Amino acid sequence: MMKFVDEFRDPDKARALIRQIEVLLERIETVRERPLQIMEFCGGHTHTIFRYGLEQMLPEGIELVHGPGCPVCVLPMGRVDDCVALARRPEVIFTTFGDAMRVPGSKKSLLQAKADGADIRMVYSPLDALALARKHPEREVIFFALGFETTMPSTALTVLQAEREGIDNFSLFCNHITTVPTIKAILDSPDMQLDGFLAPGHVSMVVGERPFHFVARDYGKPIVITGFEPLDILQSLWMVVRQIAEGRCEVENQYARIVPEGGNRTGLDAVARVFELREFFEWRGLGSIDHSGVRMREAYARFDAERKFAVPNIKIADPKSCQCGEVLKGVIRPWECKVYGSQCTPETPMGALMVSSEGACAAYYHYGRISVEELKRRRAS
Amino acid sequence: MCLGIPGQIIEIIDEQQMLAKVDVSGVRRQVNIACIVDAQHPVTDCVGDWVLVHVGFAMSRIDEAEAAKTLALLEELGEVEEELRTMRASGGAP
Ligand code: SF4
């Protein structure tokens, strides 16, 4: 299988793409005053960019802004507190993806709550949570549903399965969030200065191209649906810069090998049956964003942990010194946050972006020490 | 959670429920394939297909080359071990 692999890290291809980006940048007037700011929304992209040091390879005329696209990072403390409260009920088996175990709540993480005796189990799939409910009819199994549109079909299909089987001791604590309203909120913020976007590949695999059209149509920004390999990202950056150089703005699909134009019909149908938009949803670091989350429809109330149990619905404000919002919008770079690396580290995260390796601040902290110096130097010069 | 991992469908477990046995880097588990089944690809035709698996659901059909590339990438990002460990631990094995 190795023969397939060489092709996507071909350094000649990378160099050629970077050279082409340089040529295009020379044609763009504004680049003389300030670099183009391009946001990769998805935490998976952020991870690739840092792992392969793509940022250092790019010409000075481009700056990457690392977006909020890590669903674990943006989970507000209050929601974690709610999880802990649910998990402590004696009848409950609380199931979650492993990623969410370490996210700090205002008092504890799920990992600490488990150590204190709550029945919390890590699962790989919501189907495993449903299997636990089948196996333990005397207990209440709650699945902590989390993630962008990529994971929404899986939880929706699991609920539909529970309905078919008549399993009534299974419910979701639904914390799914949506990409499109969040991109819109970022575009609407007054200090926004982004010039283009890389759209998340796997979210697009589910929702298709259409939901991103407003970015080009209403806001005049190019957006390219992007795969996760280093060459995918370079190629997409080239596509964004090419649009700017040619005075175009549209949705382009670099990841067509995975992303069909219309998305995934079965997945979207299941999502539409089970979920509806919330008026707003609270994000760590970004505050409340209209329509940026979903809840379960009335018809599925019996599978909704929020309706079934009294969820405390705790609201905890982000700490004052946290500057995640500004980092997310590209107004400051991670290391310019006052608490970066001092009060806020991956071991003791204060803000959302330090929580998982897909968050911008944690990525800089893990991979970026050399590049931080380099980027500072570049910025100063 | 977000990235997905490639696997190959090796057997249909339940045609009605669209459940298949998928081999993901040697770990075999039950995966729901509803999202990749359609008129052109009935359930029984899926054996042998490579798919991208997200939290126990096949979300996209891919070719073998794409599967190899994706796996290599995930390995370099250090995300394969963790994924396979949770897959094994949560007992979705058919
Ligand atoms: S250093 Fe911490 S508080 Fe500051 S922006 Fe990054 S994650 Fe937020």
Side-chain angles (χ1 to χ4, degrees), chain A residues 4 8-9 47 51-52 97 124-126 128 150 154 157-158 161 202 205 228-229 257-258 264 266, chain B residues 1-3 17 29 34-35 52-57 59 62 65-66 69 73 76-77 79 83 87 90:
Chain A
F4 299 126
F8 85 87
R9 30 204 84 156
H47 200 167
R51 176 67 183 78
Y52 294 90
F97 293 137
Y124 164 70
S125 165
D128 302 336
T150 318
S154 53
L157 286 163
T158 304
Q161 175 78 26
H202 290 150
M205 165 186 81
F228 294 90
E229 282 152 25
R257 61 187 195 270
I258 299 286
N264 189 299
T266 309
Chain B
M1 162 180 45
C2 303
L3 275 184
Q17 312 275 11
R29 71 156 282 146
C35 289
L52 207 50
V53 182
H54 287 259
V55 300
F57 289 74
M59 293 304 299
I62 55 182
E66 182 68 22
K69 287 195 287 184
L73 177 76
E76 293 209 2
L77 292 178
E79 297 198 354
E83 188 95 354
M87 229 182 242
S90 68

Side-chain angles (χ1 to χ4, degrees), chain A residues 322-324 327 337 339-340 344 351 353-354 361:
Chain A
C322 151
Q323 292 183 279
C324 295
V327 171
C337 170
V339 292
Y340 175 87
C344 187
L353 303 175
M354 226 16 135
C361 293

Side-chain angles (χ1 to χ4, degrees), chain A residues 330-343:
Chain A
V331 180
I332 64 168
R333 317 292 323 237
W335 67 85
E336 292 169 330
C337 170
K338 289 188 286 293
V339 292
Y340 175 87
S342 52
Q343 283 122 289

